[in-house]
Amino acid sequence: MARTKKPKRPKNPTGEMTLVEHLQELRHRVIVSLAAIVVGTIIGFIWYQTAPPRMLPLGEIIRGPYCNLPPELRADFTGDGECRLLATSPFEMFMLRLKVGALAGLVLASPVWLTQIWNFITPGLHKSERRYTFSFVAIAVALFVAGALLAYFVLDKGLYVLMSIGSEFQVAALTGGEYYNFLLSLIVIFGVSFELPLIIVMLNLVGILRYEHVKDKRRLIIVLIFVFAAIMTPGQDPFSMVALALSITVLVEMAFQFCRWNDRKRNRERPDWMDLSDDEASGPIEAPTPIGKASRVSVQPEARPAPKQPAPERPHAPSQRGYADGTDFGDVL
């Protein structure tokens, strides 16, 4: 038996949907995003201990900043000087491995769930604005990875500052949970903070934020950035705070310069009459003049048509008819 093909769903070029269709689309995109994160988490869980060729295991990479500390700043639990963290509960190592795998899965699956978020938003945008889908996803992933890498390298210096305070009287014995929570929170904070310039650019592209709104507020914005960095850095060390604040300041300034360039381009393409007020755009209006005195109008009587005369009667012509033998009626009479 031949299989019947399902009718194709008609295209919706305008992006108009009902509330139920919006909820169905949201459910579909959430399921796709969660599936991608689960797959990435499984890869990260395996990568934690088993590394691909020419790569280090993920657990050793994350443990690197702690192992880079001088031996006198960290406790020795093995007796041979090997760098190890302390576990204080039976399930701590498993949960840490799962937590690290989940963060790695979130980063590995970021192109998928960022694409789903952007595609859920774009039906409400213009066609020219939907062309930025690939650029948005690529830049968002690149910024998050750049923030995570900066946090990883900053941790070497910040951890040294924190661990060397009072080292003459005590030695730090970090557990795996304390160290991993500190590192992962620092990576997430740096990665998410690096998305701020992209948000500024998006608001400018859709016409919500213009350069003239922020060009005179740079000092206030820089102060707010430093306050944000001081609050959000988990270690409260000055090195990581300054590194986060300076990097965000540079990225925000780059975003402002893009807004400046985009506004100039938009103003060149904008017709002059759109910047005029309603009175100026409608043109000069002449003042009304008073109505003059009404003049008298003469009414002429309506001409009636003359009555029709009856047509004169015409004399009857003699009949041309006769008898069968050719004699005319007039001859007989």
Side-chain angles (χ1 to χ4, degrees):
M1 294 178 61
R3 297 178 62 183
T4 57
K5 296 183 178 179
K6 295 182 179 180
K8 294 183 178 180
R9 188 176 181 180
K11 295 182 179 180
N12 188 7
T14 60
E16 298 178 356
M17 291 184 292
T18 62
L19 178 61
V20 176
E21 291 176 342
H22 273 293
L23 295 177
Q24 291 176 351
E25 183 188 8
L26 178 62
R27 181 185 62 181
H28 171 74
R29 299 195 182 281
V30 169
I31 292 175
V32 172
S33 301
L34 291 178
I37 293 174
V38 169
V39 173
T41 302
I42 295 174
I43 296 174
F45 187 84
I46 299 173
W47 184 18
Y48 182 87
Q49 192 171 0
T50 305
R54 298 182 180 180
M55 292 185 64
L56 295 174
L58 190 58
E60 185 174 350
I61 294 175
I62 293 179
R63 194 182 56 177
Y66 175 76
C67 294
N68 290 337
L69 291 173
E72 62 271 12
L73 295 182
R74 48 184 171 83
D76 184 10
F77 301 107
T78 60
D80 55 358
E82 187 177 357
C83 179
R84 293 290 183 88
L85 292 167
L86 180 65
T88 58
S89 63
F91 294 100
E92 183 176 351
M93 292 185 288
F94 173 78
M95 294 304 298
L96 289 176
R97 182 173 180 178
L98 183 61
K99 186 182 296 185
V100 172
L103 180 61
L106 189 67
V107 176
L108 294 175
S110 56
V112 178
W113 55 265
L114 285 173
T115 302
Q116 297 300 319
I117 293 175
W118 183 256
N119 289 336
F120 183 75
I121 299 174
T122 49
L125 302 179
H126 298 288
K127 183 178 179 181
S128 59
E129 297 168 348
R130 300 177 190 175
R131 297 177 298 179
Y132 301 104
T133 302
F134 178 78
S135 301
F136 165 78
V137 175
I139 295 175
V141 173
L143 288 174
F144 187 89
V145 173
L149 292 176
L150 180 62
Y152 181 82
F153 290 110
V154 163
L155 185 61
D156 276 337
K157 304 298 182 182
L159 195 62
Y160 177 80
V161 172
L162 294 175
M163 300 288 286
S164 61
I165 298 176
S167 59
E168 297 85 358
F169 308 102
Q170 60 185 2
V171 62
L174 294 180
T175 63
E178 293 172 348
Y179 173 73
Y180 280 15
N181 289 335
F182 175 75
L183 174 61
L184 297 181
S185 59
L186 192 66
I187 288 176
V188 171
I189 289 171
F190 270 68
V192 174
S193 301
F194 272 46
E195 303 294 337
L196 179 60
L198 183 60
I199 297 175
I200 295 175
V201 171
M202 289 175 56
L203 293 177
N204 179 260
L205 290 176
V206 298
I208 298 177
L209 180 65
R210 299 180 65 87
Y211 177 73
E212 60 184 10
H213 299 156
V214 296
K215 65 179 182 179
D216 298 330
K217 302 178 178 63
R218 279 187 171 85
R219 294 182 180 179
L220 176 61
I221 293 173
I222 292 174
V223 171
L224 293 177
I225 289 174
F226 273 84
V227 172
F228 170 80
I231 295 174
M232 296 305 296
T233 47
Q236 306 300 326
D237 60 290
F239 191 83
S240 58
M241 181 199 72
V242 172
L244 178 61
L246 290 179
S247 58
I248 295 179
T249 302
V250 173
L251 292 175
V252 168
E253 182 60 30
M254 294 173 62
F256 286 166
Q257 294 303 320
F258 175 85
C259 297
R260 181 180 182 181
W261 170 81
N262 188 49
D263 289 345
R264 286 183 177 179
K265 178 183 177 182
R266 187 180 299 168
N267 292 333
R268 287 196 300 265
E269 298 175 354
R270 183 184 179 92
D272 297 337
W273 60 269
M274 295 188 67
D275 297 327
L276 300 176
S277 62
D278 295 338
D279 296 336
E280 293 175 343
S282 60
I285 301 176
E286 297 181 356
T289 57
I291 301 175
K293 186 177 180 181
S295 58
R296 184 175 298 177
V297 180
S298 60
V299 180
Q300 299 292 335
E302 184 180 358
R304 296 182 179 180
K308 295 182 179 180
Q309 299 294 332
E313 297 182 357
R314 297 180 179 179
H316 294 283
S319 177
Q320 300 296 328
R321 292 177 296 177
Y323 294 101
D325 56 358
T327 305
D328 186 33
F329 289 143
D331 298 340
V332 176
L333 296 176

